[in-house]
Each structure stands twice: as C-alpha cells, then as structure tokens.
Amino acid sequence: MNRISQFVPLALLLVCAMSVTYPAMASTKLVDSTTGMEFVPVPAGCFKMGDTTGTGEDDEKPAHEVCLDAYAIGKYEVTQGQWNKVMGSNPSNFKACGDSCPVDTISWNDAQAFVARLNKSSNSNYRLPTEAEWEYAARSGGKQELYSGSADPNVAAWIESNAGQTTHPVGKKQPNGLGIFDMSGNVFEWTADWYAEDFYAKSPAKSPVGPAVGKFRVNRGGSWYVEATGSRTTARGSNEPDKKSSNLGLRLVAPVK
C-alpha cells in the first residue's frame, strides 16, 4: 500500500507561493540520444523540505533546511514509448493509453534495470532522483507549493476525481514554475531513497540521500488512483522495491556540469 497523507484543509488550496531566491541557470535543452527524453535544468539552492503548513503527516515533519547541487530532471515522466525503446517491451497496465502515456506497473527494481540499460546505450549517468531532489523540483525550486504547477489540483494533476481510472498522456496539465509536468498526479514516481518515517528529524542539510537501509523505497507525487491529498508536493509514499502497480512509474535525473 502507498503510505500517503490523508487530509488537507480546503483553505490550503489557496496557499500563496513563498518566494525563493536561487541562482540563474542556463536553459540549455538536454535531450537523451536514445529515447529523446527531455531534461530540465534545476539550479543549486536551499529550501525548507517537508510540511511548512502544520497540516501534513508526521513523516513530513519537521520541515528542515536542505541544500542541493545543480542537476537536471525529466521534463515528463518516462513514457511507455521510451521504456519500450530501451527494454524492448511494455509492462504497462494502461497500454491502450499509448506511447506518450507514463509507463506503469514497474517496480523499483525494474526502474534500476531500465536506468542501467539506458546508461549503457546512451553512455550517460542517469539515475532516480533522491527524495530531496524530487521535492525541490516539484516545488519549482523549493517554493511553498501545495501541488506542482497550481494551487488547484485539477489544473496540475490527474487524480482519482478527474482521471477516469486511467493514466493520461504526459504534459497535458499545467507545468510548474520550472517547466516540469505531472509531478503531481498521473503515476507515483520512484525515488532512489529508502523510506524512514523519522528521517526528517535527523536528515543532513547537504544533499541528503535517505537512510542506508530499509524495507520500503520512497515514491512521490500521487497518481490517477489517489485523491488530491496524496498528490501534494510534500506527501510521501513508500513501497517494497519489488512492488509492481498500475500507479507506479518513474522520472529520471541527469547530472549537469
């Protein structure tokens, strides 16, 4: 089962964005040679990771300072077409949705196999984002954003109430402030980190990577299967690394020079 937050007051839908200052970064387009996957540069910076409203779940607290180096993250979730190009098959439950829809029904272990094969064919160093990298990017560089792209989940995300029990082509909802799509809703996205409910209380400030061992891997962002509360930018989900589900997908990170 995904471990997701269960309640957010309606008033929080109108939460105002908190301004965050961070260095400008070149908008050079980064495209993978094998799949055509696009990556969006994310500038280095610091932010308060976790619940800053006082209404999140216990595992979203305490909000704590995190500082990250620059990186680049997928503009979209990895699609069925991209997965098929690399792996030669499509595991998705929602194949009828098409090549431009996010790949689904993949485990964390499957995601690692995909990354390894893609890196070999593209001669690159792609990987899953850390949980901190994922949240920083989802929040448009660390801003106080309830959903990634809008305070209104219906504008930003495919969720249980509007998705019609299926995934949808990537990039059809409003992007966030960095130009990244679907970081709320559509499919949960695996991250690199092991899950620990109390990790935030002892997280290092510089480039945290989660605990060294664990039972569950973190996934983030919510999906077509859950309501808006589970698609908030600070909500944390987790599953066993071998868990496959039609609401589990991925998005990659690329190193930048």
Side-chain angles (χ1 to χ4, degrees):
M1 291 285 293
N2 283 301
R3 298 164 183 231
I4 57 175
S5 303
Q6 297 298 317
F7 176 74
V8 174
L10 182 60
L12 283 179
L13 296 179
L14 302 178
V15 67
C16 296
M18 178 184 295
S19 62
V20 173
T21 301
Y22 44 76
M25 188 171 185
S27 58
T28 305
K29 189 175 183 180
L30 303 172
V31 181
D32 173 63
S33 59
T34 298
T35 62
M37 198 180 301
E38 296 180 47
F39 292 86
V40 174
V42 181
C46 300
F47 76 117
K48 281 284 188 183
M49 182 176 177
D51 172 52
T52 58
T53 66
T55 59
E57 294 296 314
D58 288 345
D59 67 352
E60 300 171 42
K61 304 170 185 177
H64 55 290
E65 185 85 353
V66 167
C67 296
L68 298 170
D69 295 328
Y71 56 100
I73 196 165
K75 184 175 183 178
Y76 309 105
E77 293 161 328
V78 175
T79 66
Q80 295 183 32
Q82 291 163 345
W83 183 279
N84 192 34
K85 277 185 179 180
V86 174
M87 305 301 284
S89 61
N90 181 4
S92 300
N93 179 66
F94 296 112
K95 290 184 178 69
C97 186
D99 283 352
S100 63
C101 294
V103 66
D104 67 76
T105 317
I106 59 164
S107 67
W108 187 90
N109 295 331
D110 292 336
Q112 294 302 312
F114 173 80
V115 168
R117 192 172 296 186
L118 177 60
N119 282 340
K120 185 175 181 180
S121 63
S122 295
N123 192 29
S124 191
N125 292 298
Y126 303 122
R127 57 179 174 81
L128 293 177
T130 66
E131 189 175 9
E133 287 171 335
W134 190 97
E135 185 172 319
Y136 185 66
R139 291 169 53 186
S140 302
K143 296 180 181 179
Q144 186 170 304
E145 295 183 350
L146 190 58
Y147 304 101
S148 185
S150 175
D152 181 350
N154 289 298
V155 172
W158 294 111
I159 53 178
E160 192 274 336
S161 60
N162 65 22
Q165 296 296 295
T166 184
T167 56
H168 290 261
V170 299
K172 299 302 182 182
K173 291 290 186 176
Q174 183 166 291
N176 72 5
L178 294 177
I180 308 168
F181 293 82
D182 300 308
M183 293 197 82
S184 288
N186 224 358
V187 290
F188 277 97
E189 300 171 13
W190 287 111
T191 74
D193 293 358
W194 288 109
Y195 173 85
E197 183 175 1
D198 62 349
F199 180 68
Y200 284 14
K202 50 195 174 187
S203 170
K206 178 62 176 176
S207 302
V209 295
V213 295
K215 181 178 180 181
F216 304 100
R217 293 286 183 176
V218 176
N219 48 64
R220 289 291 210 112
S223 77
W224 62 270
Y225 184 73
V226 301
E227 256 309 339
T229 183
S231 299
R232 294 175 298 110
T233 56
T234 61
R236 304 174 72 198
S238 63
N239 283 107
E240 297 89 346
D242 61 354
K243 172 71 174 179
K244 297 175 187 280
S245 170
S246 60
N247 67 351
L248 287 171
L250 77 161
R251 182 188 308 260
L252 299 186
V253 155
V256 295
K257 297 180 181 178

